[in-house]
Amino acid sequence: MSNPGAGGAMRLREFTSFVAPSVLVMVGLLVFPLYRTLEWSLERVNYGSPGEFVGLANYGQALTDPRLGRAVLFTVGITVVVVAALLVCGYVLAVLVDRLQRAKPWVLGILLISYVVPQLVGATMFSWLFDANFGGVVNYLVSQLSGQEVQWFTQPWPNRMVIALSTVWFLLPFAMLVIIAGLQGVPTEIIEAAKIDGAGPLRTHLSVIVPSIRGVLGFVAIVSIMDVLRIYDPLIPLAPQATQIGNESIMLYIFNVAFRDGGQQLGLGSAINVLLIVLIGLMLFPFIRDVAREASQR
Amino acid sequence: MGKIRRTALAIAVAVSVATALAGCGAGSRTASSAAAQVTCDFTAPAQATTVNVLAYNSSAIDPFTNTMVKSCSRDQVTVKHEPIDFGGQVQKTTATLAGPTGTYDIVETYSFVVPQYASQQKLMPLDDLYNEFKDRYALGEINQSMRDAMSYDGKLYGLPMQAQTYVLAYRKDVFDQLKLTPPTTFAELRDVAAKIQAAGQIKYPLALPLLASADVATGYRAALNSLGLDYVDAKTTTPNFDKPAAATAFQELQSLRPFMDPQVTTFDQPRVQQQMYNGSAAMAIMFSGRMNDLTQPANSRFAPQFGFAPPPTVQGGTVAYNVLSVDGWSLPTNTKVDPKLLFQMIGAAVGPDASKAAIPAAFPARDGIMTPQSSPYATAALQSITTAPPADPHPWTSQISTQTTDVVASVILGNTSVPDGLAQMQQISNKILADYR
């Protein structure tokens, strides 16, 4: 005779043993740092000494600093441009690569190189394309064609363009790869049906394929928004004068404020971090809502 | 299945190539296998001991670090050093010295930051250990002014290994062709630069490291010191940014801009080196530790054409547009390893053999090691060190430098007027100095 309770207890033990490591990792790497960030955002903190409670003073200081406003504007602006470019270019590239036959794995492999190179290294190499000191092929071509010397690293808009291009170059393989996976899940029957109904290629893509992979595109948008909102690494080689020309991202601003400008302002840095988390939540909300809605409909 | 395999293979090849390329630049600039083997004569501790060393990688520092790692890892003692750049060292030094325990047992420090850390009692005074081991490691041969530069309040906090001072590098072929001589003042510098510019071959003949987030502050301080002024009047603990020379220093630096690349505020020292390598500049003022690279034919076809001279003064006088930065080894107060053991390691690492091995990349702190025959730029470096302002022994200097960097950059770029910039710098400095009054 079997004991009905024994199976349940075993399942609970197994469940606990499988889930516990993940919970521990999440608490250690996510919940605890988040709690500490919130705590420090209300304190004046230096390395190695306990924080001193200052209430909302750090938030007040952050929100009255015009540099934060400029950093938010720059970061949100570049996020919107880069994510739009990633969705459009990623889709086009995915469609083209998906049509390939024997060359497909090799083309995919080559296209992925920019994604696996550390972003700092990739951005440094990218900066050389625009740097006359290092031969700067793009700089040379632009100056030959326009007859003007563009100051890619000291003028705000050319510099923004370089940063955006570099970020698209880095993230495009990811977008393309995910969209290819989405394309392979689109039933051929509905594409055939659209053709029979007289839809041209553009209409088929816009009215049939894109709506079919809306969830995939939403996923690409969510991940890309989170990535670009936290942009930091590429700005080191690409925007050495970021603070002076208004191309300081929120993460770079946090680093400068917390560790560089005033020495150790970890409390202020934490407060800006909390504000960044709120901003990320706000920007992701429409996409998360869509994905959640789609999931609940299934 | 075959398709998946091919895809996986292609991706693996791409990842491997990228990883290999990315890894090319990592690690030491000087091979550790080429390090000097010296006697590191400590009594082995009873228990296995690991000594963690924090030191940034550069061709001037590596010979000393590598000597320590190679010579002092013996018996039960392991000396560990991980590659790191200068910026990383700055961050990790702050973190490791902060609390009651730290990650590192030996830290590379430099004269600019020693007063600040020493005043906060984060570094051990080394005088007793210095006296105990002076004869064994011939420490008396270390230059007195360099020891002074690593001292605070009369106590030694860092054992000097090498010094850096500004040197003017110039293209001899260009100077000979135009019958020019190396400039000795900023007025001559402008004159020489204008003549090279007028000759039409080199559009921006002068290259200075004036990176807006770092080097620009060093440049401004060098100009200020050459005009006879420090950041702060130490007697009254008041900032000097309301003095006329503070404005003159800005005006003199701004007067050089027409002769420099319009993007000069994005140039750190490697970029200035690059300008010299590719011939887009004919003169550069950088730290002596960067000069050896210029003499390497593998780096530039102009290598045989580079001449070296001491840097010019801003407006005459005896102090040049110059900085004396002394690098050395310090022991954190919070290390748990026996200080005697650690001191013998740093003593061995700055010994005569290690110092000789560091030539020509470094300017060792030992008297008589660097001679005019040591390298093509040795004569210029030896002359330059006599024109450098004395190291600033005050703990506030590095704080003021860091916190005013953005203002200095803004003034040099013309985004902020000189009077407004100086007023901001005075305000920032007063806030810092309030803790010291």
Side-chain angles (χ1 to χ4, degrees), chain B residues 269-414:
Chain B
Q269 292 192 87
R271 288 208 174 212
V272 170
Q273 283 181 313
Q274 192 61 37
Q275 278 188 286
M276 294 298 278
Y277 291 159
N278 63 27
S280 58
M283 290 181 286
I285 300 173
M286 285 179 290
F287 276 118
S288 49
R290 298 281 172 183
M291 295 299 154
N292 189 50
D293 293 341
L294 293 183
T295 65
Q296 306 299 312
N299 288 338
S300 170
R301 63 195 165 102
F302 300 114
Q305 299 297 341
F306 289 130
F308 302 94
T313 62
V314 174
Q315 287 187 342
T318 54
V319 178
Y321 172 76
N322 204 352
V323 177
L324 172 65
S325 176
V326 180
D327 287 285
W329 297 112
S330 294
L331 305 184
T333 313
N334 60 12
T335 179
K336 304 298 179 208
V337 180
D338 177 16
K340 270 191 188 182
L341 172 73
L342 298 175
F343 189 85
Q344 290 183 81
M345 289 181 175
I346 63 177
V350 300
D353 290 341
S355 299
K356 278 175 198 157
I359 295 280
F363 189 133
R366 286 180 172 274
D367 285 329
I369 300 280
M370 182 79 143
T371 67
Q373 289 74 41
S374 297
S375 71
Y377 67 92
T379 304
L382 287 164
Q383 288 172 353
S384 170
I385 209 160
T386 64
T387 69
D392 194 333
H394 305 296
W396 51 70
T397 306
S398 59
Q399 286 175 279
I400 293 176
S401 176
T402 307
Q403 294 192 35
T404 57
T405 300
D406 283 341
V407 183
V408 173
S410 188
V411 174
I412 297 289
L413 285 164

Side-chain angles (χ1 to χ4, degrees), chain B residues 117-155:
Chain B
Y117 289 134
S119 71
Q120 295 165 346
Q121 285 142 21
K122 290 177 175 174
L123 301 177
M124 281 185 205
L126 303 175
D127 301 85
D128 291 344
L129 292 164
Y130 175 87
N131 289 328
E132 187 177 343
F133 294 104
K134 185 179 171 185
D135 294 336
R136 187 183 295 183
Y137 297 103
L139 301 178
E141 292 170 10
I142 294 177
N143 183 278
Q144 180 62 50
S145 63
M146 294 197 199
R147 272 185 278 149
D148 292 345
M150 296 297 276
S151 299
Y152 173 71
D153 208 13
K155 291 179 186 165

Side-chain angles (χ1 to χ4, degrees), chain B residues 241 247 250-251 411 416-425:
Chain B
F241 298 114
F250 270 129
Q251 287 150 1
V411 174
T416 302
S417 71
V418 173
D420 284 353
L422 289 171
Q424 288 177 38
M425 291 165 75

Side-chain angles (χ1 to χ4, degrees), chain A residues 280-295:
Chain A
I280 290 176
L282 285 175
M283 287 193 72
L284 289 183
F285 180 71
F287 296 94
I288 293 173
R289 190 187 52 192
D290 274 7
V291 170
R293 198 176 284 162
E294 199 170 302

Side-chain angles (χ1 to χ4, degrees), chain A residues 47-48 67 102 104-106 108-109 112-113 116-118 121 127 131-134 149-154 237 240-241 243-244 255 259-262 264, chain B residues 3 6-7 9-11 14-15 18 22 91 94-95 98-99 203-204 211-213 262-263 265-267 271 274-275 278 280 402-403 405-406 409 413 415:
Chain A
Y47 285 121
R67 251 172 87 182
R102 292 183 63 181
K104 188 170 168 181
W106 291 101
L108 267 178
L112 277 173
I113 287 178
V116 296
V117 170
V121 176
S127 75
D131 191 335
N133 260 328
F134 292 92
E149 272 187 44
V150 181
Q151 292 170 23
W152 300 103
F153 303 102
T154 55
Q241 211 171 289
T243 310
Q244 282 75 27
F255 175 80
F259 301 107
R260 194 176 70 83
D261 297 349
Q264 307 170 29
Chain B
K3 194 175 171 184
R6 278 203 305 276
T7 308
L9 178 67
I11 292 170
V15 170
Q91 292 299 322
T94 310
K203 197 171 178 184
Y204 303 116
L211 180 65
S213 58
Q263 302 194 92
T265 44
T266 65
F267 292 169
R271 288 208 174 212
Q274 192 61 37
Q275 278 188 286
N278 63 27
S280 58
T402 307
Q403 294 192 35
T405 300
D406 283 341
L413 285 164
N415 298 338

Side-chain angles (χ1 to χ4, degrees), chain B residues 228-247:
Chain B
L229 205 63
D230 282 329
Y231 277 165
V232 174
D233 181 337
K235 282 182 189 163
T236 58
T237 333
T238 51
N240 277 330
F241 298 114
D242 56 354
K243 304 285 189 302

Side-chain angles (χ1 to χ4, degrees), chain A residues 62-195:
Chain A
L63 291 169
T64 51
D65 185 354
R67 251 172 87 182
L68 176 63
R70 286 197 294 271
V72 169
L73 203 61
F74 167 76
T75 311
V76 171
I78 201 155
T79 302
V80 170
V81 170
V82 167
V83 172
L86 283 174
L87 290 172
V88 175
C89 300
Y91 182 84
V92 172
L93 205 56
V95 169
L96 293 174
V97 172
D98 199 38
R99 284 180 186 169
L100 296 173
Q101 298 297 320
R102 292 183 63 181
K104 188 170 168 181
W106 291 101
V107 172
L108 267 178
I110 291 166
L111 286 175
L112 277 173
I113 287 178
S114 67
Y115 193 58
V116 296
V117 170
Q119 202 174 4
L120 185 68
V121 176
T124 302
M125 295 191 293
F126 203 86
S127 75
W128 293 344
L129 294 172
F130 298 84
D131 191 335
N133 260 328
F134 292 92
V137 178
V138 176
N139 176 63
Y140 176 78
L141 290 174
V142 170
S143 60
Q144 289 296 310
L145 291 172
S146 67
Q148 287 184 331
E149 272 187 44
V150 181
Q151 292 170 23
W152 300 103
F153 303 102
T154 55
Q155 288 179 334
W157 283 104
N159 190 240
R160 281 166 199 162
M161 203 173 84
V162 173
I163 296 165
L165 284 172
S166 169
T167 313
V168 169
W169 173 75
F170 176 70
L171 288 175
L172 193 58
F174 159 76
M176 174 200 67
L177 209 58
V178 175
I179 295 171
I180 284 180
L183 290 175
Q184 288 173 349
V186 178
T188 49
E189 293 84 359
I190 62 167
I191 298 172
E192 293 297 328
K195 280 182 186 166

